[in-house]
Amino acid sequence: MIDFRYHVVSLVSVFLALAVGIVLGAGPLNEGISTGITDQVRQLTTEKNALRAERDEALATVDAQDAWAEAVGPALVARQLGGRSVAVVLLPGADSSQVDATVGQLQAAGATVASEVTLQEEWFAGSQTAAADRQRVAAALADQLPTAPDADAGTEDLLAAALAGALVTTELAQAEEADDQGGTVLTTLSDAGLLEVQGGAGTAPTRATLALVVGGAGDTDATDAVRSSTADAWTALLRELDAASAGAVLAGPEESAAQAGPVAVLRSDDDLAGSVSGVDDLDSPIGRVNVVLALRQQLTGGAGQYGTADSATGVSPPLPATPSAS
């Protein structure tokens, strides 16, 4: 049995240890700990200031590059697309301000925008009801395709082919004519809630010879099944627009080249990336110049992947050769 003396000795030991700790903490140990913390704070402050300086320098560089692109952009793109027309297709998530700035750059290059359509979420929605509605519309439009569809063509292929036939052509002469059949296709797609046509779908469109598709960031929260079906629809759209025109370009901001983004999907398909150009810096003046130069390259049969993402093969398309003085 533990006696009273044991309790006294235990309490004395506890208080003695506490007193020693207080003395050491207020003396030599406190000095060492305080010095160590002070050194760490000083080091972290130095590192923070260095990172802030690097950030400010990087932002200043970007601002200077944007200012340069704004200044020389008109001269770089002037007459690059003279006499050509472009159909602009917006995917869900496309930034309207980036689209407006890009359209301005196309016009500065001498191109006209023949049409602008915005695909709605229903074009890609993964629900059974949405899929059934798309299948019904695709079946109704199949007879209006310029060529008979393949026997194994899916719904996304039929819709993409119908839209491409309404918006673009490979023949420059046909680009000057209104297309009544194309107007019917756009009205059908619009009435089904699959797209919106700028200015309304009631008039016959004038087809373009080039196509520009604009996207945004991918939906990383979507299920694998939805992401896969969306990627299939993007791929079908790009393939059909490219085949039915003199060339197609897909453009978006940096996020579009990240996981599940449309540019990332394009670049993951080697065959498609070899024919459809991708631009991943549409949120910068340089990117909008890249769009014009990429469309110009498409006219010569070339294609490339441009921008600042790791998946890009170059910063910008090559400048067209200028005729030498005689």
Side-chain angles (χ1 to χ4, degrees):
M1 194 171 192
I2 300 175
D3 57 14
F4 179 72
R5 182 181 299 174
Y6 178 82
H7 284 294
V8 171
V9 172
S10 298
L11 288 173
V12 170
S13 299
V14 170
F15 283 112
L16 181 61
L18 181 59
V20 171
I22 292 174
V23 172
L24 291 175
L29 287 182
N30 177 62
E31 181 179 352
I33 294 173
S34 178
T35 301
I37 293 176
T38 300
D39 290 343
Q40 289 181 1
V41 170
R42 185 180 295 112
Q43 180 180 356
L44 290 174
T45 300
T46 301
E47 293 176 356
K48 181 193 70 173
N49 291 336
L51 290 173
R52 178 179 296 168
E54 291 178 7
R55 182 205 62 183
D56 292 343
E57 183 179 352
L59 290 175
T61 300
V62 171
D63 289 343
Q65 291 173 343
D66 287 347
W68 175 86
E70 290 280 9
V72 305
L76 287 175
V77 304
R79 298 182 298 278
Q80 294 299 333
L81 298 176
R84 292 288 179 167
S85 54
V86 182
V88 180
V89 179
L90 278 58
L91 303 179
D95 187 297
S96 59
S97 63
Q98 295 173 15
V99 174
D100 292 343
T102 304
V103 167
Q105 200 71 281
L106 293 175
Q107 293 170 339
T112 58
V113 175
S115 57
E116 183 177 315
V117 301
T118 302
L119 301 190
Q120 302 299 295
E121 293 288 352
E122 286 73 14
W123 189 289
F124 308 96
S127 69
Q128 291 184 347
T129 301
D133 289 342
R134 288 197 300 272
Q135 188 174 20
R136 173 182 54 79
V137 175
L141 293 175
D143 294 337
Q144 301 184 44
L145 296 179
T147 58
D150 294 335
D152 58 348
T155 299
E156 66 276 4
D157 298 308
L158 294 174
L159 290 176
L163 180 59
L167 296 182
V168 294
T169 177
T170 56
E171 299 297 329
L172 189 59
Q174 292 180 2
E176 304 297 327
E177 303 172 358
D179 180 30
D180 292 332
Q181 183 172 324
T184 301
V185 169
L186 292 181
T187 298
T188 301
L189 294 172
S190 178
D191 290 345
L194 297 180
L195 56 75
E196 289 184 357
V197 181
Q198 186 180 49
T203 58
T206 300
R207 287 185 291 176
T209 53
L210 291 167
L212 171 63
V213 181
V214 181
D219 184 3
T220 56
D221 295 328
T223 65
D224 289 343
V226 170
R227 288 166 61 178
S228 177
S229 63
T230 300
D232 289 342
W234 286 339
T235 299
L237 178 66
L238 294 171
R239 183 174 58 247
E240 294 296 339
L241 285 172
D242 184 60
S245 70
V249 171
L250 170 64
E254 183 180 0
E255 296 82 5
S256 67
Q259 183 182 20
V263 173
V265 169
L266 165 64
R267 292 174 178 174
S268 68
D269 186 323
D270 291 340
D271 290 337
L272 191 61
S275 59
V276 176
S277 298
V279 175
D280 64 46
D281 53 355
L282 192 65
D283 48 345
S284 72
I286 293 177
R288 294 187 281 275
V289 170
N290 284 344
V291 166
V292 171
L293 296 180
L295 287 169
R296 180 69 178 81
Q297 186 184 36
Q298 285 281 322
L299 290 174
T300 63
Q305 304 302 316
Y306 307 108
T308 57
D310 292 340
S311 55
T313 57
V315 175
S316 293
L319 290 172
T322 56
S324 58
S326 56

